[in-house]
Amino acid sequence: MKVSVQAVAVWGKTAPSHSITAIMITDDQQTIVTGSQEGQICLWDLSSELKISSKEILFGHTASVTCLAKARE
């Protein structure tokens, strides 16, 4: 079965410079986490219909986010 996912414009007409350098999906498959070359971490909601919507953007890193890992309980 082929699934089509549409692109989502989150920030309006002018896209930010967010070059994705790392990506991770949570175990429950409801959140996608992306890290960027600019040092940002973005959280995205992923619906069961594979629709993606922005959740949060985290700032504060002074270098590229090149790796993402889940913390253990």
Side-chain angles (χ1 to χ4, degrees):
M1 181 172 106
K2 186 175 180 180
V3 177
S4 172
V5 179
Q6 294 181 357
V8 178
V10 180
W11 290 276
K13 294 181 180 181
T14 306
S17 58
H18 181 80
S19 304
I20 293 175
T21 52
I23 189 165
M24 180 185 74
I25 189 164
T26 57
D27 290 334
D28 62 7
Q29 298 182 352
Q30 294 181 356
T31 304
I32 296 172
V33 184
T34 59
S36 76
Q37 185 175 355
E38 295 78 27
Q40 303 159 349
I41 296 176
C42 296
L43 305 177
W44 307 85
D45 282 325
L46 179 62
S47 73
S48 57
E49 296 84 24
L50 300 179
K51 293 187 179 184
I52 300 169
S53 58
S54 63
K55 188 174 183 178
E56 293 182 59
I57 186 167
L58 309 172
F59 297 91
H61 288 84
T62 57
S64 295
V65 177
T66 59
C67 182
L68 296 167
K70 296 178 266 188
R72 293 185 179 169
E73 293 182 14

